[in-house]
Amino acid sequence: MNLSHWQSTALGLLGFAAGLVLHLRWHPLRRHLSDAWDCLRLRPALVACTAGAMLLAAHFTNDIETVYALHYLADWREVIVPLARDALAHMAMLPHALLPPWPLACGVPVLLMFLTIRIWRWPYRYGKRRPGVEQKFGLLMVTLLAFAWLGLEAFSLRRMLPEGVETIKLGMRYISNAVAVAIMQVWLVRFVMAWERPQKTDAGGDAAAALEQVFARWQGVARLAAFDLLWMSWRWWQISTPQSIGAWWWVELLLLFAALPVAVAAVPGTFWQQGAAALRILWRAAVPLLLLSITALFIFILTLYTVEMGRAACAGSPFWRMIEQPLSALVLAMLDCWLLLTALLLMLRFGFSRSPSA
């Protein structure tokens, strides 16, 4: 039977999707996948916020979007390798950055202001001992610098800054992005922990309680932001030099420290103790996470292929492009949230000798 490229591709996608549904139906981690879906179903705002952040990032960043040609996508032998590479990189980055940090990082100065005010007014709520004068004024100076950077960002929208000032602005933007990523990492883990051990019935209470726990762990969040700045700089270097070998090392680094946000959010102590706890969590949950990774890799390959197919089909029509962009962002956001929540549940349930206290 002679089939065209479109017919063979459509049949391949249908077979792939059917096999994936059957795979999930008898998946050994189906209870955890179902629990993560239930959590996501009760909190659809998380998906909407993630999709909105993706659209904002696509609008405000200057990254050149690569659009595959339709005839290239019709040949699976040509497209499967780059799709698998993109899916693996996406999956490795997911535990570290669910939401694109820019332009959400513009809200970091406001969060720092709230943190500074609350530590000054209720110091024992955010530490076992009263913070010293140097810590208080250090937080105040960081907050003022963050607002100064925000002013530079607003001023640069209207006129061009001098080269030296522009360099300072971009450096502070990278730091703010890392802080935003760290805040989101710890907040999401505490949000999942609040869902597993609910103390309030409404989802808004869980979100507020998770943010309060992020404030209480502000020193660990700051150290986590330094680590995030490291891998984000590595990623920037790897994109700037495509021929380098940094891409695979970058993926391995992110996979190795996938449990670090969980340790910062759930384990007290120094950053070295939290790093050791992250390795223990990863070791204890290695088998479930490996099973989830295999499933997630195929899900992301199928999803990225579908998104690229829709993007290529709508490339010549601005109207259909306006429809395709939010739909693709919504689908990717839903899958990202679902699989990341599943991974967090696995690390929280298998990674500790007993469940960490909320």
Side-chain angles (χ1 to χ4, degrees):
M1 182 171 59
N2 295 324
L3 297 176
S4 65
H5 283 307
W6 281 101
Q7 291 172 330
S8 60
T9 301
L11 288 176
L13 281 174
L14 287 175
F16 198 178
L20 191 59
V21 170
L22 294 175
H23 174 70
L24 292 175
R25 176 65 179 83
W26 286 284
H27 200 283
L29 302 175
R30 58 185 177 276
R31 181 175 70 87
H32 308 285
L33 289 164
S34 177
D35 289 345
W37 182 258
D38 289 340
C39 178
L40 195 62
R41 181 175 52 85
L42 296 174
R43 288 140 176 90
L46 184 61
V47 177
C49 291
T50 305
M54 289 179 179
L55 293 175
L56 281 175
H59 178 73
F60 281 97
T61 55
N62 297 323
D63 296 338
I64 299 176
E65 195 177 71
T66 302
V67 179
Y68 294 99
L70 282 174
H71 65 85
Y72 180 76
L73 291 171
D75 191 350
W76 273 92
R77 291 171 298 181
E78 293 290 334
V79 77
I80 189 65
V81 174
L83 281 179
R85 184 175 60 246
D86 293 343
L88 183 60
H90 184 85
M91 186 175 64
M93 193 172 64
L94 194 56
H96 301 278
L98 173 64
L99 275 67
W102 181 254
L104 296 182
C106 293
V108 168
V110 179
L111 292 177
L112 289 176
M113 180 186 68
F114 280 118
L115 174 63
T116 303
I117 293 173
R118 295 174 78 86
I119 287 181
W120 277 55
R121 293 189 61 183
W122 303 290
Y124 292 106
R125 183 182 295 183
Y126 304 104
K128 295 181 179 179
R129 62 186 66 181
R130 191 180 187 90
V133 177
E134 66 281 356
Q135 284 185 322
K136 287 185 176 181
F137 280 97
L139 276 173
L140 181 60
M141 291 303 298
V142 169
T143 304
L144 293 177
L145 285 174
F147 274 103
W149 160 73
L150 194 59
L152 289 177
E153 291 285 355
F155 189 75
S156 65
L157 295 176
R158 308 192 64 174
R159 57 184 303 180
M160 186 174 294
L161 297 174
E163 184 177 355
V165 180
E166 182 71 20
T167 302
I168 294 174
K169 185 200 75 172
L170 291 177
M172 296 183 70
R173 180 190 291 183
Y174 282 126
I175 296 174
S176 299
N177 285 345
V179 173
V181 168
I183 290 173
M184 177 53 63
Q185 286 174 298
V186 179
W187 178 86
L188 189 61
V189 176
R190 296 303 308 189
F191 187 70
V192 173
M193 293 174 68
W195 175 78
E196 262 212 303
R197 291 189 170 187
Q199 297 178 355
K200 297 181 180 180
T201 56
D202 59 323
D206 289 346
L211 184 59
E212 186 72 14
Q213 293 295 332
V214 173
F215 285 163
R217 290 159 173 78
W218 66 272
Q219 294 180 345
V221 173
R223 292 188 288 263
L224 181 61
F227 172 79
D228 291 333
L229 185 62
L230 174 65
W231 71 257
M232 291 169 70
S233 302
W234 195 343
R235 178 59 169 170
W236 177 81
W237 169 75
Q238 187 269 324
I239 292 176
S240 303
T241 55
Q243 303 302 323
S244 66
I245 62 173
W248 292 111
W249 288 105
W250 175 77
V251 169
E252 291 179 7
L253 176 73
L254 294 188
L255 292 176
L256 180 63
F257 290 96
L260 186 58
V262 178
V264 172
V267 179
T270 65
F271 195 65
W272 294 110
Q273 292 172 330
Q274 290 169 342
L279 294 178
R280 288 196 299 270
I281 293 170
L282 200 63
W283 174 256
R284 291 169 179 169
V287 174
L289 287 176
L290 180 61
L291 294 175
L292 178 65
S293 298
I294 295 173
T295 301
L297 182 61
F298 285 100
I299 289 176
F300 280 130
I301 290 175
L302 178 60
T303 305
L304 291 178
Y305 180 83
T306 306
V307 169
E308 293 296 339
M309 183 69 75
R311 185 179 297 169
C314 301
S317 173
F319 173 76
W320 290 108
R321 186 73 174 131
M322 291 175 57
I323 297 177
E324 178 270 331
Q325 281 184 330
L327 285 178
S328 298
L330 193 62
V331 170
L332 282 174
M334 182 180 65
L335 290 176
D336 284 352
C337 293
W338 176 43
L339 294 172
L340 178 56
L341 291 181
T342 305
L344 293 179
L345 285 175
L346 291 176
M347 285 186 279
L348 289 170
R349 291 173 176 177
F350 292 93
F352 296 87
S353 55
R354 56 181 181 177
S355 297
S357 59

